[in-house]
């Protein structure tokens, strides 16, 4: 409807990432697990009914997404055009959590709504997909009782921090520009490993800090799942991030995190979160290609070799399990 032009986020980013990966022959349609829209029942695992009811008011959604004209649209339009895509990405993060446990890794090309908590949205984030994915795993997947969130978006992840404030099962590492939104002092109390960055931080310093603190976090607590919030708003020139990381620096950052997880054989779920330049889609795709080329994501499961009965059956079995998650 043209609303995306009123917002700094590239609404086509996720589709572009998929198209780039198809062009590189890394994936094919039948090796992509289609995200399913999170239902009210799913969302109520974390969100309050009061908060979900608030989203039935267009002006509330306009405030959360920071697109003022949304306030003047009928709510049925807002539900279909704005919130349904976000619920589908949220369902994707929940599904990817189960896939990661099953296979060792999963990437939701979307999600990472880290400013939303159980009872409050903000910063373009209407649903708490990171909290939901972890809660689903804790409650419904045997053997998952500890989680580590590695949040490397340029902004503080105050949503999941508020949700897991007093939950000792969840270890949070957060590296962010200390001077920008949200500056949530209360939420910072939940961060176990806090890395506050200065304006214009560049590759060398940034990558050294990421390596040191990711290793430190995983040595301090060995989780059953890592949720990696891989925002690309750290890119030099991003209008909201205020950092100065190169495209190569972002690719290397993701490599550092995946190497740390895979070396320890800890399942990892990656979501793509923020990133407000047109070129971020290409960078995300290049990073995923690099992870594949290094063997950090399994070649058998991330290849265009469709028709492999073993791979196809694994996908069908996992999707069946995921469908059952919200029924248990």
């Amino acid at each position: 409807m043209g609303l995306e032009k009123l917002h700094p986020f590239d609404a086509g980013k996720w589709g572009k990432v998929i198209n780039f990966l198809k062009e590189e022959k890394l994936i094919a349609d039948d090796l992509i697990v289609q995200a399913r829209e999170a239902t009210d029942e799913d969302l109520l695992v974390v969100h309050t009914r009061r908060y979900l009811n608030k989203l039935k008011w267009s002006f509330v959604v306009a405030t959360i997404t920071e697109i003022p004209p949304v306030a003047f649209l009928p709510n049925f339009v807002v539900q279909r055009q704005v919130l349904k895509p976000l619920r589908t990405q949220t369902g994707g993060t929940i599904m990817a959590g189960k896939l990661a446990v099953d296979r060792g890794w999963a990437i939701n090309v979307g999600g990472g709504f880290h400013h939303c908590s159980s009872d409050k949205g903000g910063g373009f984030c209407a649903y708490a997909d990171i909290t939901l994915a972890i809660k689903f795993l804790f409650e419904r997947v045997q053997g998952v009782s500890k989680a580590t969130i590695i949040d490397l978006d340029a902004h503080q992840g105050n949503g999941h921090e508020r949700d897991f404030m007093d939950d000792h099962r969840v270890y949070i590492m957060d590296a962010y520009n200390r001077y920008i939104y949200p500056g949530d002092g209360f939420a910072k109390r939940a961060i176990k490993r806090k890395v506050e960055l200065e304006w214009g931080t560049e590759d060398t310093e940034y990558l050294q800090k990421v390596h040191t603190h990711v290793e430190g976090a995983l040595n301090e607590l060995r989780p059953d799942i890592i949720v990696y919030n891989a925002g690309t708003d750290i890119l030099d020139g991003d209008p909201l991030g205020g950092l100065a990381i190169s495209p190569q620096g972002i690719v290397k950052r993701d490599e550092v995190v995946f190497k740390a997880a895979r070396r320890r054989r800890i399942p990892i779920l990656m979501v793509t979160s923020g990133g407000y330049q047109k070129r971020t889609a290409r960078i995300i795709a290049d990073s995923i290609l690099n992870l594949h080329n290094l063997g950090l994501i399994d070649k058998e499961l991330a290849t265009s070799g469709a028709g492999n009965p073993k791979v196809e059956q694994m996908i069908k079995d996992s999707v069946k399990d995921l469908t059952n998650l919200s029924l248990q």
Side-chain angles (χ1 to χ4, degrees):
M1 299 179 67
L3 291 173
E4 67 276 5
K5 296 174 183 174
L6 303 174
H7 196 281
F9 196 87
D10 177 10
K13 178 173 81 170
W14 307 290
K16 291 174 186 174
V17 173
I18 293 294
N19 288 335
F20 286 138
L21 293 176
K22 286 180 178 177
E23 288 171 8
E24 298 287 345
K25 310 297 185 190
L26 182 67
I27 58 174
D29 285 336
D30 48 4
L31 284 176
I32 300 170
V33 177
Q34 294 291 338
R36 301 185 180 191
E37 181 183 354
T39 64
D40 262 18
E41 184 182 356
D42 296 330
L43 297 171
L44 285 167
V45 169
V46 166
H47 289 293
T48 62
R49 172 58 70 184
R50 180 170 173 268
Y51 173 70
L52 295 182
N53 285 339
K54 281 184 178 181
L55 297 179
K56 296 176 183 176
W57 294 90
S58 296
F59 75 88
V60 172
V61 180
T63 302
I64 290 171
T65 59
E66 301 183 20
I67 309 175
V70 166
F72 302 101
L73 295 174
N75 192 256
F76 76 88
V77 175
V78 174
Q79 292 292 330
R80 186 175 66 238
Q81 301 295 127
V82 179
L83 293 178
K84 183 176 180 179
L86 299 181
R87 286 193 295 269
T88 303
Q89 290 191 51
T90 298
T93 302
I94 295 169
M95 293 169 72
K98 178 63 165 57
L99 289 166
V101 171
D102 285 349
R103 305 187 198 172
W105 66 276
I107 298 170
N108 181 17
V109 183
F113 305 134
H114 65 156
H115 298 307
C116 187
S117 61
S118 63
D119 61 355
K120 186 178 181 181
F124 320 150
C125 304
Y127 301 107
D129 68 318
I130 291 174
T131 305
L132 277 159
I134 292 172
K135 287 285 183 73
F136 261 80
L137 292 174
F138 281 172
E139 294 179 11
R140 307 178 188 196
V141 177
Q142 190 173 5
V144 181
S145 60
K146 293 177 290 183
T148 290
I149 299 170
I150 297 176
D151 195 332
L152 301 186
D153 187 272
H155 300 80
Q156 176 200 352
N158 61 319
H160 57 71
E161 288 160 9
R162 283 177 172 265
D163 285 337
F164 292 118
M165 178 66 67
D166 299 312
D167 193 332
H168 300 296
R169 298 172 298 174
V170 180
Y171 183 108
I172 299 174
M173 172 191 160
D174 199 349
Y176 54 87
N177 183 335
R178 66 194 305 167
Y179 300 108
I180 60 175
Y181 178 90
D184 190 335
F186 175 77
K188 288 180 184 179
R189 292 163 47 187
I191 304 173
K192 300 293 196 300
R193 189 170 285 261
K194 181 168 57 180
V195 186
E196 296 193 320
L197 303 169
E198 300 294 324
W199 286 107
T201 298
E202 296 181 348
D203 286 19
T204 302
E205 177 187 353
Y206 179 76
L207 291 171
Q208 184 271 322
K209 287 184 174 179
V210 166
H211 182 271
T212 297
H213 290 287
V214 166
E215 290 291 328
L218 296 178
N219 287 338
E220 199 168 323
L221 173 78
R222 182 184 174 87
D224 302 307
I225 182 75
I226 295 167
V227 179
Y228 172 36
N229 197 45
T232 48
D233 51 359
I234 63 171
L235 181 64
D236 188 20
D238 189 279
L240 301 181
L243 303 177
I245 309 305
S246 70
Q248 296 77 18
I250 292 175
V251 171
K252 185 65 179 177
R253 174 200 68 176
D254 295 348
E255 179 184 323
V256 166
V257 176
F258 268 77
K259 277 184 174 177
R262 302 296 271 159
R263 189 169 66 251
R264 293 172 172 82
R265 299 184 181 277
I266 302 171
I268 181 168
L269 156 62
M270 171 176 155
V271 289
T272 59
S273 203
Y276 306 95
Q277 298 182 73
K278 296 290 186 184
R279 58 188 177 136
T280 58
R282 179 74 252 184
I283 296 167
I284 293 168
D286 286 344
S287 180
I288 294 171
L289 287 165
N290 180 61
L291 296 174
H292 169 257
N293 292 337
L294 293 172
L296 295 171
I297 55 178
D298 306 81
K299 291 179 171 61
E300 183 184 42
L301 292 171
T303 177
S304 59
N308 181 327
K310 180 182 175 185
V311 174
E312 290 180 353
Q313 190 58 49
M314 287 178 72
I315 290 174
K316 289 176 183 176
D317 290 346
S318 289
V319 172
K320 183 179 178 182
D321 290 345
L322 292 163
T323 304
N324 291 336
L325 274 180
S326 61
L327 302 176
Q328 293 176 10

